[in-house]
Amino acid sequence: MQSRPFSKLPVIGILTIVYFIAGKFGLMLASLHASASPVWPPAGIALAALLLLGYRAWPAIFVGAFLVNVTTAGNVATSLAIASGNTLEAVCGAWLVTRFAGGITVFDRPQGVVKFALAAVVSTIISPVFGVTSLALAGFADWTNYGAIWLTWWLGDTTGDLLIVPLIILWSVTSKRRWNRREAVEVGILLLLLVVLSEAVFGGWLTISARNYPIAFIYAPIVIWTAFRFTQRETATGIFIVSTIAILGTMHGFGPFVGEMENQSLLALQSWTAVLTITAMALSAGMAEHRRAEEALRESEARIKLAANAANLGLWIWDIRTDEFLVTEKWRRLFGFAESEPVNFGRWLQLVHPGDRERMKQTVQDLLEHGGGERESEYRITQPDGSTRWIAGYGGVELDESGKPAFTRGVSRDITKRKVAEEELRESEARFRTVADAAPVLIWMSGPDKLCTFFNKGWLDFTGRTIEQELGNGWAEGIHSDDVEHCLEIYRSSFDARQPFTMEYRLRRNDGEYRWVLDAGTPHFADDGTFLGYIGSCIDITERKRAEEKFRIVLDAAPNAMIMVDSAGVISFANAPAATVFGYSLSELIGRHIETLIPERFRDRHVGYRKGFLSEPSSRAMGAGRDLFGRRKDGSEFPVEVGLNPIHTTEGLSVLASVIDITARKQAELEHQLQNMELARVGRVAVMGELAASLAHEVNNPIGAIVTNASAGQRLLAAGKLETEELTELLADIVADGRRAGEVIQGIRNMVRKGKARRSLTPIGDTIRQLLRIVHADAIGRDVKVTAKVGPDAGQVWGDPVQLLQVLLNLALNALEAMSAIPPDARRLFIRAGRDGNGDILVSVRDSGPGFPSGMAEELFEPFFSTKSEGTGMGLAISRSIIEAHGGTLSGENCDGGGACFTVRLPQAKEDNSQAA
C-alpha cells in the first residue's frame, strides 16, 4: 500500500473528530440496539482513510470508535472491544483491497469494483463479531437477539464501505477529465433530476407503499446514463445523493422501503443501496475502461505509424480477390519497386531468393488454407541491382462474411544487418566455445536471471554430467551439502550487487570424490552498460587445501605464536599458541586488524612500519633497537620479540609473524643486571680495600718516621733542650718523610695511569648504550628517569673500552646516589654525547640533585677527598687519571638549573687506529 505523506498528529486528530461525528450520526439511526445502526458511514471513512493514508492512520480509527461507543452504551471494556473490532475491520479491508483489488485504483475496472464489494462483505464480518459478542458477554445485549443485532451491524458497515469509500477515494484523486460547457450543463441536469426524483420517491410527494416498491428503480436510467456519459466520480456522487435523501425519507416514513419497524425499513433500503452502488460503479468502471481502451488504441495506432516511419518499416495490404498489393513508399524502396509500378503476388514472389522462394510460397498457401492467424517469416530477396537482402515479414489474414480469406496485411523490414551480426555472433560463440573447451580450468556462464547458461568441456568432464543436467541451477546438485547454503548465499548476494566474487567449496568429481575448487565470478556488461550476467572459472585447489591443513598443523605445533597478516593488516591465520598468548579465541583473532594486538601508544607508528615492510619485504626481526610490546585481550601488555617473513599467496603478499613472549626472559635479565650491579659494587669495595691496604703498607714507614720526629721535637721542647740546629734537622726529616709518602701515592696513581691497557677503536655511542643497560636496574630501583641523547656526529675514540665504561659508570653511579635525598618525581639523569667546535668528543653526565659545595670543583678530583661520609675519595681521582691517560680531560661543575654536571672530553680517533685526531 502506497500511503501519502502526512503530518501525523494533525491528520490523526482531524480523522478522529470526523470519525466521531459520523459515528454519532450513525448511532442516531439505531433502533434495534443503541450500538447497532443499519447506517454506519464511519466504516467507509475508516477504510478510505487507510487506503489513502496507509496503516499509520489506525490510531485515529481506534480512538474515534472508542469515544463513540464509550459515550453511547456499554462500558470501557465493551468500548475497547468494539473499537478493536472497528479498527481490525478497516485494516483487514484495506489489506484485501490493496492485495487483490489494486488499492486506490480499485474503481478503474469492473473486476476491481466486484473485488472491492467482496472485500467489504468479508471484512465487515469482524466488527459485528467483536461488538455484539462483547456487548452480550457484558450483559448489554440479549443473546436471544444476537442474530438480528449482528445482521444490522454487518449490513450497516457493508453499505457504509460501498457508499462512502468510492466517494472519498474518487474525489481525493485528481481527475484527468477536462470539462466543457456542454458536459457541465449535462451533468448538472442529471444530478438535478436525481434530486427531484429522490424527493418525489422519498420526500413524501407521492403516496408510495411497499406494494409498489419498483418505483425505486426509477433512478436506474439516470444512474446508468451518468455511468455511460461521465466518470466514476460523478456516478459515486449521484448514488451518494440518492442514498442520503432515501435514508432521510425512510426515517420520516416515506418511500417504498418503509416497514413496520424503522430498523427493518433501513435494512431494506441499505440492501437496495448496496445493489445500486455495485451495479452503477461496475458499469461506470466498465465504461471508463472502454474509454481508456479507445484512447490507448488511438495512441497505439499513432505510435505504430510513428514507429513504422522511424524504424523504416514497409506496410502492405494484399487484396486476395484482386491480387493487388497496396504498399507504402518505404516498402517500394525496400523491395526495389518503382513508384507507379504495379505490385502483385507473382511479382513479389519473383524477387524472393530462389533458395527461399518455394518455402515462402508454401508459407503463404498454408496461411490462406487455415483461414486466419498470423505468421512471421524471414527470407532473402534479390534486388534489381543483384544484391541480396534479408527481410523479416509479419502478417495476418482477414476473412470476409463467408469465412474466406479476403485480405492479408502486415509489415516488412530489412534485417540484413541483424543477420550479419547474428552470423558473426555465432562465429564468435563458436570460437569462444573452442577456446573455453581447450582451457585447463572449469568455465561457466550465467544470464541476468542468475541461471547458468554455459559450461565448458572441462566442467562437464570434471563432473561427469551432461550440459542439460548442469544448466539453470542444476550445477548446484554437485556441491557438497555442507557448502551449498554458504555457496549460494555468496553467489546471490554478489549477483544482486553486481560485484565480483571468489568462493571456495567442494564439488563432486565424476568418480564421486568431492574436490575443493576456487570459484571466481565476474559480472559481464554490454557496451551500453546492460548487465548480461556472470562469467566464472574454477580451479581444483584440493592439494592446496591439504597443504594448508598441513601448514596449520605444523604451525599449531610450533612453540611460538604464529600470525599471518594480509596486505591490509587483517589477520588471516593464527595458530593455537597465538590464541593462548593474546587471550583471544582463534575465531576472534581471524579477521581482526593486527593493530588490536599492539598497545595503543604504538598503533599509529605501527601502521607506517607495516607499510614500510610491505614496500621492501624481507625476512628479518621486527623493531631492531626498540623494545616491542604486545597487548592481550584484557588490555595487559607484555614484552615480545617478533620475526617477520614475507609470504606470497594467490591473494597477494602476506606477512607471517613469529611472536615470542619474553616476559620471563626480561625478568631474568633484570635480575641478572641487578646481580651485576651488586658485583660491581663489591668489586669496587674490594679494589678500594686492596688500594687502602697498599697505601697503608707503603705509607706506613714515612708516616711513622714523621710521627717519631714530631714526637721527639715535642719532648725536646718540653725539656727545654731543643736547639735551633736540632729543630731544623727534625723539620727537614719530617718534610722528607712527607715527600716520600707523597711519592708513594703518586706512584700508585702512575700505576693506575700507566698500567698496560687494551686499546681499540671504540664508538662512544656503543659505550653509552652499554652504560644504560648496566644502570637501568639501579635507576628503576631509585625511581630515577634516565634520558640519553647521542648525536649523529658523536664519533669514536681510541682507548680501553673497559676503562672508559668504568669512568662513565662511576660518574653515573655518583649521580644516582647524589639524588637519593630529593623527591622521586624530581630525580632526572641526563647523559649526552656530541662534538665541540674543535672536533673533540664531549660526554656529559648531569643529575638533578643538590650539587656539590661551591669552590670544590678541583678538590673533588683529589685523592681521598669525598663529600660523602661513607666515600673513599678515590673514584674521581682514578677516573681523571684514566681519562688523562687517554689524552682527554675530566671536569665537574654545578649547573645553573641545579644538580652537578661532569664533562669528559676525549680526542676523536682516526679510522686507521692509534693516533688521536
Side-chain angles (χ1 to χ4, degrees):
M1 181 188 302
Q2 293 183 347
S3 59
R4 299 184 178 184
F6 64 91
S7 181
K8 191 170 183 180
L9 289 179
V11 173
I12 291 293
I14 294 173
L15 182 57
T16 301
I17 295 172
V18 171
Y19 188 98
F20 179 79
I21 295 173
K24 282 299 182 182
F25 170 76
L27 291 180
M28 290 172 60
L29 307 180
S31 59
L32 182 63
H33 189 276
S35 296
S37 173
V39 179
W40 190 245
I45 294 173
L47 179 55
L50 292 185
L51 289 174
L52 289 172
L53 303 178
Y55 297 120
R56 296 174 296 172
W58 72 264
I61 301 169
F62 182 84
V63 174
F66 175 78
L67 294 176
V68 168
N69 286 277
V70 80
T71 58
T72 300
N75 53 26
V76 173
T78 59
S79 298
L80 289 174
I82 295 172
S84 299
N86 290 353
T87 305
L88 185 60
E89 172 187 289
V91 171
C92 179
W95 182 84
L96 290 173
V97 172
T98 302
R99 177 66 176 82
F100 298 104
I104 61 174
T105 64
V106 61
F107 304 109
D108 288 352
R109 292 176 176 80
Q111 302 94 318
V113 174
V114 175
K115 291 178 180 178
F116 167 75
L118 292 175
V121 170
V122 172
S123 63
T124 51
I125 295 174
I126 298 174
S127 182
V129 170
F130 273 64
V132 180
T133 302
S134 62
L135 290 171
L137 290 174
F140 293 101
D142 191 353
W143 285 101
T144 59
N145 207 22
Y146 186 95
I149 300 174
W150 189 95
L151 179 62
T152 301
W153 197 311
W154 171 75
L155 187 57
D157 284 9
T158 302
T159 309
D161 280 352
L162 295 175
L163 190 63
I164 300 299
V165 172
L167 186 68
I168 296 177
I169 293 294
L170 293 171
W171 278 98
S172 67
V173 178
T174 304
S175 176
K176 297 180 181 179
R177 187 178 183 116
R178 295 295 178 264
W179 293 82
N180 54 41
R181 184 175 181 181
R182 180 177 173 276
E183 290 175 333
V185 171
E186 182 180 356
V187 75
I189 292 173
L190 289 174
L191 293 177
L192 180 60
L193 283 174
L194 285 176
V195 173
V196 171
L197 291 175
S198 298
E199 285 295 330
V201 175
F202 295 98
W205 295 1
L206 301 175
T207 303
I208 300 172
S209 66
R211 289 189 299 274
N212 53 10
Y213 70 90
I215 196 173
F217 291 97
I218 195 174
Y219 304 103
I222 299 175
V223 172
I224 292 173
W225 183 256
T226 304
F228 267 100
R229 290 288 295 142
F230 301 101
T231 65
Q232 301 94 309
R233 177 187 289 182
E234 290 74 33
T235 303
T237 304
I239 295 173
F240 177 76
I241 292 173
V242 172
S243 177
T244 302
I245 296 174
I247 291 172
L248 294 175
T250 301
M251 289 177 58
H252 288 84
F254 301 112
F257 301 103
V258 175
E260 296 180 358
M261 298 179 63
E262 180 180 302
N263 189 70
Q264 293 179 348
S265 301
L266 290 176
L267 289 179
L269 173 62
Q270 293 295 71
S271 300
W272 169 79
T273 302
V275 173
L276 178 63
T277 301
I278 295 172
T279 304
M281 292 304 300
L283 180 60
S284 180
M287 292 306 300
E289 187 175 32
H290 178 70
R291 286 191 290 270
R292 288 196 302 271
E294 289 180 341
E295 181 64 25
L297 180 59
R298 287 191 295 270
E299 292 179 358
S300 177
E301 290 177 350
R303 286 196 298 268
I304 288 175
K305 291 180 181 179
L306 180 62
N309 293 331
N312 199 27
L313 296 176
L315 306 181
W316 53 268
I317 299 176
W318 177 31
D319 188 339
I320 301 173
R321 292 166 294 188
T322 62
D323 191 17
E324 183 180 358
F325 274 73
L326 299 176
V327 297
T328 61
E329 182 62 29
K330 290 186 177 180
W331 191 94
R332 287 181 176 276
R333 290 198 300 267
L334 184 62
F335 283 84
F337 284 96
E339 183 176 352
S340 59
E341 183 179 358
V343 183
N344 55 35
F345 179 74
R347 185 73 182 88
W348 167 78
L349 194 61
Q350 289 178 357
L351 294 179
V352 178
H353 192 277
D356 299 331
R357 189 174 298 159
E358 190 60 32
R359 176 174 61 84
M360 291 305 300
K361 182 178 180 181
Q362 186 63 40
T363 299
V364 174
Q365 184 176 350
D366 292 342
L367 183 64
L368 298 178
E369 288 178 354
H370 288 85
E374 297 175 342
R375 296 289 178 88
E376 185 175 5
S377 58
E378 296 179 355
Y379 56 93
R380 292 165 291 174
I381 63 170
T382 303
Q383 291 187 318
D385 61 0
S387 62
T388 300
R389 310 292 295 177
W390 274 96
I391 302 297
Y394 183 84
V397 177
E398 296 181 10
L399 305 179
D400 59 14
E401 297 81 1
S402 61
K404 295 181 179 181
F407 297 94
T408 62
R409 67 178 71 236
V411 297
S412 299
R413 60 190 178 94
D414 189 340
I415 59 170
T416 304
K417 291 183 178 180
R418 194 196 79 188
K419 283 292 187 179
V420 172
E422 288 177 353
E423 182 61 27
E424 292 176 350
L425 179 61
R426 281 193 293 271
E427 293 177 357
S428 176
E429 289 178 349
R431 289 193 297 270
F432 171 75
R433 290 178 182 274
T434 301
V435 173
D437 288 342
V441 297
L442 284 60
I443 298 177
W444 56 269
M445 294 180 63
S446 67
D449 56 357
K450 297 186 177 72
L451 299 179
C452 289
T453 59
F454 170 79
F455 293 91
N456 73 335
K457 185 175 181 296
W459 179 289
L460 300 178
D461 290 344
F462 182 90
T463 60
R465 287 159 59 91
T466 63
I467 185 69
E468 291 76 13
Q469 291 175 311
E470 298 294 83
L471 291 177
N473 288 325
W475 63 276
E477 297 174 1
I479 301 176
H480 194 282
S481 58
D482 293 343
D483 301 336
V484 170
E485 184 176 351
H486 173 69
C487 175
L488 293 182
E489 175 61 25
I490 294 177
Y491 178 72
R492 291 167 183 159
S493 60
S494 301
F495 202 104
D496 293 338
R498 307 289 193 263
Q499 295 292 330
F501 67 85
T502 58
M503 57 183 177
E504 297 178 0
Y505 57 91
R506 285 164 289 181
L507 184 64
R508 187 174 58 244
R509 200 168 57 182
N510 52 27
D511 59 0
E513 180 185 354
Y514 282 96
R515 305 281 293 180
W516 279 100
V517 296
L518 174 63
D519 195 340
T522 303
H524 179 44
F525 298 92
D527 294 336
D528 60 358
T530 303
F531 176 62
L532 302 178
Y534 269 72
I535 299 177
S537 63
C538 302
I539 58 174
D540 189 337
I541 58 169
T542 304
E543 299 307 321
R544 194 194 81 183
K545 296 290 284 187
R546 290 173 179 170
E548 289 177 354
E549 183 61 24
K550 293 179 180 177
F551 178 69
R552 172 176 286 279
I553 293 173
V554 170
L555 290 186
D556 282 343
N560 301 339
M562 309 297 290
I563 298 175
M564 184 174 289
V565 183
D566 63 18
S567 58
V570 177
I571 299 174
S572 58
F573 170 83
N575 65 350
T580 302
V581 168
F582 289 96
Y584 291 91
S585 65
L586 287 177
S587 60
E588 290 176 322
L589 280 176
I590 304 302
R592 284 182 175 271
H593 276 275
I594 188 63
E595 276 74 26
T596 60
L597 306 183
I598 297 173
E600 293 183 2
R601 63 183 186 277
F602 300 127
R603 287 179 184 174
D604 294 340
R605 285 176 285 174
H606 184 267
V607 174
Y609 295 149
R610 178 163 51 80
K611 291 180 180 179
F613 179 85
L614 292 175
S615 63
E616 297 181 4
S618 63
S619 297
R620 60 178 182 263
M622 175 181 172
R626 303 196 312 269
D627 289 334
L628 303 181
F629 295 89
R631 184 180 185 273
R632 298 186 182 93
K633 182 179 180 180
D634 60 7
S636 61
E637 299 180 8
F638 60 99
V640 295
E641 281 187 356
V642 182
L644 303 177
N645 294 277
I647 303 293
H648 295 275
T649 67
T650 56
E651 289 79 16
L653 178 63
S654 295
V655 181
L656 180 63
S658 173
V659 183
I660 303 175
D661 183 351
I662 60 172
T663 302
R665 192 177 78 190
K666 282 289 187 180
Q667 184 63 35
E669 289 178 353
L670 180 60
E671 294 176 357
H672 181 65
Q673 290 176 3
L674 292 174
Q675 292 174 356
N676 287 342
M677 291 293 298
E678 188 62 27
L679 289 174
R681 290 190 180 90
V682 172
R684 291 200 305 274
V685 171
V687 169
M688 294 307 298
E690 293 176 359
L691 181 60
S694 174
L695 286 173
H697 181 272
E698 295 295 333
V699 181
N700 186 46
N701 286 334
I703 290 178
I706 291 172
V707 171
T708 302
N709 290 327
S711 297
Q714 288 177 336
R715 289 193 300 270
L716 290 175
L717 286 173
K721 298 179 179 180
L722 184 61
E723 299 291 337
T724 302
E725 184 177 353
E726 291 178 340
L727 178 60
T728 300
E729 290 178 356
L730 287 173
L731 291 177
D733 290 339
I734 291 172
V735 170
D737 291 335
R739 289 176 177 173
R740 189 157 59 91
E743 289 174 356
V744 170
I745 295 173
Q746 186 63 36
I748 294 175
R749 290 185 62 188
N750 291 337
M751 177 187 66
V752 175
R753 182 187 298 118
K754 297 179 180 180
K756 185 177 182 181
R758 295 172 295 176
R759 299 293 179 95
S760 62
L761 202 60
T762 303
I764 199 66
D766 292 348
T767 304
I768 291 176
R769 278 189 285 273
Q770 294 179 39
L771 169 67
L772 293 175
R773 282 197 293 270
I774 294 174
V775 303
H776 177 70
D778 200 15
I780 292 175
R782 294 177 181 269
D783 293 326
V784 177
K785 182 177 179 180
V786 179
T787 301
K789 182 177 180 182
V790 179
D793 59 344
Q796 52 192 359
V797 298
W798 179 259
D800 188 336
V802 176
Q803 291 183 353
L804 293 176
L805 175 60
Q806 188 62 31
V807 170
L808 297 179
L809 177 60
N810 185 62
L811 297 177
L813 292 176
N814 286 344
L816 293 178
E817 292 173 356
M819 291 184 285
S820 59
I822 67 175
D825 57 352
R827 299 172 184 176
R828 299 289 186 273
L829 175 61
F830 304 92
I831 301 174
R832 288 182 173 83
R835 303 278 288 277
D836 64 4
N838 298 325
D840 291 337
I841 296 173
L842 296 180
V843 180
S844 65
V845 179
R846 175 184 174 183
D847 60 63
S848 60
F852 48 83
S854 59
M856 294 186 178
E858 285 301 316
E859 294 182 28
L860 293 174
F861 298 95
E862 293 296 326
F864 303 109
F865 181 87
S866 177
T867 60
K868 299 177 290 185
S869 59
E870 67 279 13
T872 63
M874 292 299 297
L876 290 176
I878 295 175
S879 295
R880 172 174 276 188
S881 66
I882 292 174
I883 295 302
E884 290 176 352
H886 284 75
T889 62
L890 172 60
S891 61
E893 61 181 353
N894 283 323
C895 302
D896 294 337
C901 179
F902 289 85
T903 302
V904 176
R905 177 179 281 103
L906 292 168
Q908 165 73 13
K910 293 181 180 180
E911 291 293 333
D912 56 3
N913 57 16
S914 57
Q915 299 299 322

